[in-house]
Amino acid sequence: MALPFPISDEVEFAIEQLSYSTPENRGAVYTRREVVEFILDLSGYTDDKPLYKKQILEPSFGNGEFLFAIIERLLKSCASHQITGDLLTHKLKDCIRAVELHKGTFYSARKQLDILLEAKGLTMQQRNVLLDSWLIRDDYLLHDLGCSFDYVVGNPPYLRQELIPNVLMAEYRNRFATIFDRADLYIAFFEKSLLSLKADGVLGFICSDRWAKNRYGGPLRKLISDHFSLKIYVDMVDTPAFSSQVAAYPAITIIHNKKESSGITRIIRKPKINELHLSSLAKKVSSNIKNNNIEEIKDVADGDKPWILDLCERSNFIRYLEDNFPHIEEAGCKVGIGVATGADEIYIKPSSVLDIESTRKLPLIMTDDISNGKISWSGNSIVNPFDDAGKLVNLEDYPKLKAYLTEHEERLRNRYIAKRNPQKWYRTIDRIQPSFVQRAKLLIPDIKGKAQIIYDKGEFYPHHNLYYIVSDKWDLRALQVVLRAGIAHMFVATYSTKIRGGYLRFQAQYLRRIRIPRWTELSEDIKNRLIEASTKDIDENVYRLVAEMYNVKPDLFISLIKREEANNGN
């Protein structure tokens, strides 16, 4: 095992464990051959070039689908340049490097590649020399390849951190600056592969698109923005890109190791998975031929900011707001999430059956209590083990609470938070502030097709499936009008990745991106009209009012809202 610096025996053991893991536990998803050919075309690895002069890397080759296509193109290029015999072996042995960790997959793919080379007329000696040189069984992220490449292509593993042994994850974090927060392992594959490119080299990956917009992708986006050019982005959502059905929302990303002044990214959306169609599309996008299926967007990669990848008017509107107005929290609002208990089945019960002191339970509102934008409380309460100052109460002072929690003590002590602090075994994960019930707040359910913004005048404590907004600066009824008038949905739809069914994640990280004016900067007339509108349905008059607040033309704003509604099937 060739390494840039030594690793511990514990890390070696963890790597060996992964090398025998199941496909699910190592993030193995295989790409259809038509899509492989498409990625190679987009990357510029085509057989009309002298590929025997180029070096290409496949960092996680799996069943070898990329390698089959690469080898066929390489041999065809050699044939057109009359490179045969012993010269073939000499020229080609350094053209490919391909890495795979899983032992069974490695040897299965090698066998199939040997069959392919034999069918192409290579002798056993030639085949062994090439395959011994090309194929490496190791952990790509820890292996020192000792060279750089003209092309890096592939489908990096979709592996969540919790599936990786802690000691190995720590080693990855130590080596890769882009592994941030809850980043999936493919983030490190991007980083190492980008840094392995030669000047003017090209990376072509098919991978989950989550990193392009969410929080953990920030460091990788900044790396690309600072040192590379995002040449082509292909949205592959809802296309059969893989040999098996997967839950991921994939995209093809073509990145050039050269900063280009134009800052133009060419965008393709949901292409038909058809060999002739993809081949034709690749030629058009690579040669900058204008086509209705190809869009161009400038400056998609902008520091660590999420990538805005649509060219509709919404994109222009969002950019206008971001250039002219502060973030919602800068404008004096706080975005948060409701309480997590770690044992909802114990802490959350109908108030009528929860036999504890009345001061130890608080009315709780959950997503199921919200229907059609209104609150219909189911009667659930949350057990509150905290006093008004946010400190844990003494159970001896509350005999009914003590009896109830003691009945469930074993289950509560098995939670991580209780094991970390056994003396406080009966606390909820999040600290409860009882006075928060009385505070006016806006409630936003997480997973929805469109934004629901509900006003609570100060009656409930929110559950962790609800996000909230509170403010000492803004009038919350007025803010509710602004957010309901398309603003919340447009920001979240721009920055959130969609999940199955077309739903969006109305999470704090996206809600905090909303831009609004400061309340003190609004005229008294607009303030009063917004507050008055809070008692009415959202209609064209409200849209005109919000457009006026943002200093945009009302007719253009209303036209944008209608297109948004049409796109969402409203």
Side-chain angles (χ1 to χ4, degrees), residues 358-370:
S358 60
T359 57
R360 295 299 94 216
K361 51 186 175 182
L362 298 170
L364 184 79
I365 188 164
M366 308 172 74
T367 294
D368 290 344
D369 297 326
I370 295 171

Side-chain angles (χ1 to χ4, degrees), residues 337-388:
I337 187 172
V339 62
T341 69
D344 282 358
E345 70 279 12
I346 296 171
Y347 285 103
I348 299 172
K349 296 283 186 181
S351 185
S352 59
V353 302
L354 195 53
D355 186 20
I356 60 176
E357 290 80 2
S358 60
T359 57
R360 295 299 94 216
K361 51 186 175 182
L362 298 170
L364 184 79
I365 188 164
M366 308 172 74
T367 294
D368 290 344
D369 297 326
I370 295 171
S371 177
N372 297 321
K374 297 181 180 179
I375 293 175
S376 180
W377 184 47
S378 61
N380 281 324
S381 286
I382 184 168
V383 175
N384 174 26
F386 294 92
D387 63 19
D388 291 343

Side-chain angles (χ1 to χ4, degrees), residues 224-242:
I224 294 169
S225 175
D226 289 350
H227 302 289
F228 301 86
S229 295
L230 178 63
K231 294 293 292 179
I232 301 169
Y233 186 93
V234 186
D235 177 2
M236 300 294 285
V237 173
D238 294 330
T239 67
F242 303 109

Side-chain angles (χ1 to χ4, degrees), residues 272-288:
K272 297 177 182 177
I273 307 302
N274 172 280
E275 183 178 352
L276 292 177
H277 174 73
L278 293 177
S279 176
S280 173
L281 194 56
K283 289 176 182 176
K284 291 172 182 175
V285 72
S286 299
S287 59
N288 294 325

Side-chain angles (χ1 to χ4, degrees), residues 57 59 140 152 188-197 203 205:
L57 166 67
Y140 168 69
V152 182
F189 273 74
F190 265 98
E191 178 183 341
K192 181 167 183 176
S193 298
L194 287 169
L195 298 180
S196 297
L197 289 173
L203 176 141
F205 273 178

